[in-house]
Amino acid sequence: METQSSQVGYNSKVEGDVIVTKVDAVINWVRKNSVWPMPMGLACCAIELMGVAASRFDISRFGMEVMRFSPRQADCMIVAGTVTYKMAPVVRRIYDQMADPKWVVAMGACASTGGMYRSYATMQGVDRIVPVDVYISGCPPRPEALLDAMMKLQKKIEKEPSFKQLGKETEEKRVWA
Amino acid sequence: MNEIVESLQPRFAGIKPRESSDHPAIQCPVGFILPLIECLRDEFDYKLLSDVTAVDWGEEESPRFSVVYHIFSIKAAAHIRIVADCEDDENPSVPSIVSLFPAANWHERETYDMFGIRFEGHPDLRRILMWDEYPYYPLRKEFPLAGIETELPDAEIAEETRAKVLAAPMMGGPFVAKEGEPMSRSEPRAKDQSWTEWSKKTLEEE
């Protein structure tokens, strides 16, 4: 009896045109090479973010040049800048509006920890309201640092089970300060 | 320097020259703010309002709050400062000058936001930096730099994330360099102020 897999292995007509792999690997490979960022530009980090999108640094080498200003069309929120308490609920609401699967990059000292703004008005790290996948140090970070973070995010996406977190933003994925 | 003040004094009883290290300054009773500024604008060519702010002299002081106006004369290339003490220390208020200078609108909103000084007659006196429901006035002397724990502006998000407005960890700060010392000693890092919440400073505060 001929099964599908035996055909792949032994049928010389299709051999070489067929790749055997895992669904996770394929889906994650697709996902990691077309991360559409949502530029949450809140301060000077956003200028570096624009630099990353421009020709010198060219984020499109990683398939991430499609900056979407609508959260409905984005999968990675790049929080670039100081998150004030007044802005924080807005950041969270935009995050909620993004479709799963979604990731968050905290770009720069302010988004990661509040940075130099130790004051009544500044949220001390955006991870108090959204789950952050990658933190970037710097004030502001060099564009290379953002690219490095996006490559790290790609590595992280690669290893994720592609279906597990869909549709349920679970307690374990949340990060609480 | 104070010719303007002297020429105005007969018309506005109660105004007096105010000590100042730079621009001529007028100490003005609250009641004269509108006519005085209008007179300066129309007769003395002080046509550009560059700043409206306030001073909190401290909880024990009375008058506690002073409102400060800086007005610029383009012709004379000179500033003038008008200072008015608020009569009420609990609920300070002064007349709004938006009718004279539309530019005062946001300045007065900011001063209201930070000090809680009401500007009577302002067309739209809302907070401008903090959110509308914020219960404190951050630039008042009794308000700590780190802030006071309170609720997030959005109740729905607050419930979803269980996040709050928290007092910021000062970690030995605020990290302000002191004047009059060499950089090697005035810089905060020279005092070994720790960047972690838990370890102690090694040098005593001077």
Side-chain angles (χ1 to χ4, degrees):
Chain A
M1 196 182 83
E2 260 186 31
T3 62
Q4 258 186 326
S5 59
S6 66
Q7 263 203 358
V8 173
Y10 300 108
N11 189 336
S12 60
K13 281 179 188 161
V14 295
E15 200 180 347
D17 295 334
V18 173
I19 301 163
V20 181
T21 180
K22 294 191 289 183
V23 174
D24 267 3
V26 175
I27 290 178
N28 285 339
W29 174 71
V30 172
R31 274 182 188 162
K32 76 166 194 178
N33 288 303
S34 72
V35 173
W36 289 19
M38 156 87 224
M40 193 77 231
L42 300 172
C44 32
C45 280
I47 304 293
E48 299 300 303
L49 180 58
M50 287 179 242
V52 172
S55 53
R56 183 180 287 264
F57 298 99
D58 193 10
I59 202 174
S60 67
R61 291 180 289 157
F62 306 94
M64 296 173 185
E65 77 276 23
V66 205
M67 297 274 177
R68 288 292 129 148
F69 293 87
S70 160
R72 309 282 185 200
Q73 301 171 350
D75 0 69
C76 173
M77 181 152 83
I78 302 176
V79 184
T82 320
V83 185
T84 58
Y85 281 117
K86 196 178 181 181
M87 193 64 187
V90 182
V91 173
R92 174 68 200 200
R93 201 165 286 275
I94 289 171
Y95 175 80
D96 284 342
Q97 287 168 346
M98 286 163 59
D100 273 321
K102 52 193 171 185
W103 299 275
V104 178
V105 174
M107 180 181 179
C110 294
S112 304
T113 67
M116 65 175 185
Y117 298 103
R118 293 210 182 280
S119 89
Y120 59 92
T122 306
M123 178 162 266
Q124 302 294 305
V126 75
D127 55 6
R128 293 187 180 198
I129 44 159
V130 289
V132 175
D133 294 280
V134 185
Y135 299 85
I136 314 175
S137 61
C139 184
R142 289 279 310 168
E144 293 94 328
L146 178 58
L147 287 180
D148 183 47
M150 297 314 275
M151 287 157 74
K152 289 218 162 61
L153 181 66
Q154 284 187 324
K155 290 219 175 74
K156 187 173 178 179
I157 294 171
E158 218 171 60
K159 287 182 201 138
E160 274 175 4
S162 53
F163 284 104
K164 192 183 160 197
Q165 286 149 335
L166 280 189
K168 46 169 183 172
E169 205 241 319
T170 51
E171 289 297 314
E172 84 235 32
K173 212 202 164 193
R174 284 184 178 175
V175 181
W176 305 115
Chain B
M1 200 174 176
N2 275 322
E3 304 95 31
I4 294 177
V5 188
E6 276 156 29
S7 65
L8 284 169
Q9 261 171 332
R11 288 170 60 184
F12 301 98
I15 69 165
K16 46 183 185 266
R18 185 186 162 85
E19 203 179 316
S20 165
S21 59
D22 45 13
H23 312 301
I26 304 175
Q27 184 76 42
C28 169
V30 169
F32 279 141
I33 288 177
L34 275 169
L36 178 69
I37 290 176
E38 187 172 20
C39 168
L40 284 169
R41 183 190 69 174
D42 296 340
E43 292 168 39
F44 293 86
D45 202 61
Y46 283 92
K47 288 190 193 300
L48 195 150
L49 179 79
S50 51
D51 197 16
V52 178
T53 184
V55 182
D56 178 359
W57 297 106
E59 276 175 280
E60 291 79 34
E61 299 296 316
S62 186
R64 180 175 172 189
F65 295 99
S66 301
V67 180
V68 184
Y69 305 85
H70 288 112
I71 313 179
F72 184 66
S73 163
I74 295 168
K75 228 180 246 172
H79 282 92
I80 195 163
R81 176 181 302 127
I82 294 125
V83 182
D85 294 335
C86 299
E87 280 156 11
D88 192 340
D89 295 338
E90 298 293 316
N91 301 298
S93 80
V94 289
S96 166
I97 59 160
V98 175
S99 53
L100 300 175
F101 288 103
N105 191 318
W106 282 17
H107 284 300
E108 290 183 352
R109 280 179 64 187
E110 188 185 346
T111 310
Y112 164 66
D113 191 356
M114 293 289 126
F115 292 94
I117 297 170
R118 299 200 66 82
F119 288 83
E120 303 301 335
H122 191 285
D124 181 29
L125 193 65
R126 288 178 293 133
R127 283 181 176 270
I128 194 168
L129 294 169
M130 308 305 284
W131 56 100
D132 288 341
E133 301 82 27
Y134 191 67
Y136 306 105
Y137 298 111
L139 284 192
R140 287 193 174 184
K141 283 278 186 265
E142 78 269 14
F143 187 88
L145 173 63
I148 299 171
E149 188 172 320
T150 176
E151 296 301 318
L152 275 186
D154 188 319
E156 196 186 331
I157 298 292
E159 195 191 350
E160 184 185 11
T161 63
R162 280 170 273 153
K164 292 186 103 180
V165 175
L166 297 174
M170 295 315 284
M171 296 186 163
F175 298 102
V176 182
K178 281 182 185 159
E179 270 182 75
E181 283 182 278
M183 283 279 277
S184 58
R185 287 176 53 209
S186 66
E187 282 287 297
R189 80 188 79 161
K191 300 186 179 68
D192 193 27
Q193 285 175 331
S194 158
W195 293 88
T196 60
E197 194 82 357
W198 297 278
S199 40
K200 286 175 186 164
K201 297 174 198 172
T202 51
L203 292 179
E204 284 182 8
E205 288 272 320
E206 280 157 39

